[in-house]
Amino acid sequence: MTKIAFIGLGNMGGPMAQNLVKAGYDVCGFDLVPEALDQLEQAGGSKAESVKEAAESASVVISMLPAGKHVESLYLGGDGLFKAIDCSCLVIDCSTIEADVAKKVGLQAEEQGIGFIDAPVSGGTAGAAAGTLTFMVGGNAETVEQARPYLEVMGQNIFHAGGAGAGQLAKICNNMLLAILMTGTSEALKLGIDNGLDPAVLSEIMNKSSGGNWVLEKYNPVPGVMPQTPASNGYQGGFMVGLMAKDLGLALNTAAGSRTATPMASLADNLYRMHSIRSGSTQDFSSIIQLYDPAD
């Protein structure tokens, strides 16, 4: 049985690892939060006391970490995994990080003969639980094909965007657009609500008209319109405001490097930073609609 080491068992990594367990893989996980380790164990996986213990004799290492500094430390640090794993081991990083960090880790992996891909995801916690994520993958074609059986367990769509770091660039562009869609859709819905329209009816009208978009179809920000969304659960779960602000920062830094004009992303970034200061960073990113309500 193939052993998979899964590093980072948070809101996304936890259900992804559990889907690998359900598919029959021997999954050994590590996380700094004991409850996350317990959940994996209850699902049929095993837990490790350290990263190295999790990766011992593993054929595949998958990581889902908060930021580039964590990924760089995991693989390239003084006690990094690239010094401990066999060159036959396949490494899949699903974190959303700077493309330059992904390229750096990928280059070091290549020099050591280790197969590495950056494979950030889209689809949120619901997609992670259902195994319907979209993977945006950077790396050489041979390594992508080697990783495909594992990615297919966790997701429905796998796109090879290019070489190392290309997956991160695609993810940054996607989330930049998502933030713009969420802020704009929230603004339109709030205008309708303030003038007496039923948000559910307005949402249906816009979604079947030229204003239709993914937010209206899958992730409505108004409580009660879609029962299964974070908006209808007190804006809990899903994709946190702090993470969206982080991804917008990545997009704007990338745009500065390429001298790309991103005025809409800059505005969305300011709105999410304002919202984070006002309401905290742990609510779902669809809670940005609250920023448009002067009564709050």
Side-chain angles (χ1 to χ4, degrees):
M1 185 185 298
T2 299
K3 178 183 176 182
I4 299 174
F6 207 111
I7 314 302
L9 301 169
N11 290 338
M12 295 294 292
M16 290 166 68
Q18 291 178 33
N19 282 332
L20 290 165
V21 172
K22 292 175 186 175
Y25 291 108
D26 174 14
V27 181
C28 183
F30 175 76
D31 196 278
L32 295 175
V33 178
E35 291 80 7
L37 292 170
D38 292 340
Q39 288 174 8
L40 177 62
E41 191 172 47
Q42 290 165 10
S46 59
K47 57 185 180 181
E49 297 295 325
S50 68
V51 166
K52 282 193 174 181
E53 182 184 333
E56 186 177 352
S57 72
S59 300
V60 182
V61 174
I62 302 175
S63 51
M64 175 62 92
L65 300 175
K69 63 182 181 181
H70 304 115
V71 174
E72 189 169 356
S73 176
L74 174 65
Y75 294 112
L76 306 183
D79 206 26
L81 274 185
F82 281 174
K83 296 179 181 178
I85 61 176
D86 188 87
C87 64
S88 63
C89 189
L90 170 66
V91 176
I92 303 171
D93 179 49
C94 296
S95 317
T96 298
I97 61 174
E98 301 88 342
D100 287 346
V101 173
K103 291 176 184 177
K104 182 179 180 180
V105 175
L107 179 61
Q108 185 61 44
E110 183 179 3
E111 290 177 355
Q112 294 185 216
I114 296 170
F116 172 85
I117 61 170
D118 54 288
V121 303
S122 178
T125 54
T132 58
L133 294 170
T134 293
F135 286 91
M136 304 162 220
V137 185
N140 69 60
E142 182 179 347
T143 306
V144 173
E145 290 309 305
Q146 186 184 356
R148 189 174 292 275
Y150 311 106
L151 300 181
E152 287 178 341
V153 169
M154 300 181 286
Q156 280 186 338
N157 303 298
I158 302 165
F159 296 102
H160 185 196
Q168 300 298 340
L169 289 170
K171 175 63 186 293
I172 288 168
C173 292
N174 179 78
N175 277 24
M176 181 183 79
L177 179 58
L178 177 58
I180 293 168
L181 288 173
M182 183 58 80
T183 55
T185 301
S186 295
E187 187 173 321
L189 286 167
K190 190 63 171 61
L191 176 62
I193 292 168
D194 287 350
N195 285 277
L197 291 179
D198 182 326
V201 174
L202 177 58
S203 294
E204 185 176 4
I205 290 170
M206 293 194 297
N207 201 37
K208 299 300 182 182
S209 305
S210 55
N213 63 68
W214 184 88
V215 170
L216 289 169
E217 182 181 354
K218 302 285 189 181
Y219 217 88
N220 200 289
V222 179
V225 174
M226 292 181 173
Q228 304 306 316
T229 60
S232 297
N233 188 38
Y235 296 106
Q236 298 305 304
F239 188 63
M240 292 190 296
V241 167
L243 293 176
M244 180 56 84
K246 182 201 82 170
D247 287 0
L248 283 166
L250 292 176
L252 291 174
N253 287 338
T254 302
S258 60
R259 300 184 67 188
T260 304
T262 52
M264 298 297 290
S266 296
L267 179 55
D269 177 63
N270 280 324
L271 290 171
Y272 271 102
R273 291 182 187 280
M274 288 170 60
H275 182 47
S276 179
I277 292 169
R278 183 177 177 182
S279 302
S281 61
T282 60
Q283 290 190 99
D284 181 73
F285 82 107
S286 61
S287 64
I288 191 71
I289 195 170
Q290 297 172 337
L291 191 65
Y292 295 99
D293 191 347
D296 288 348

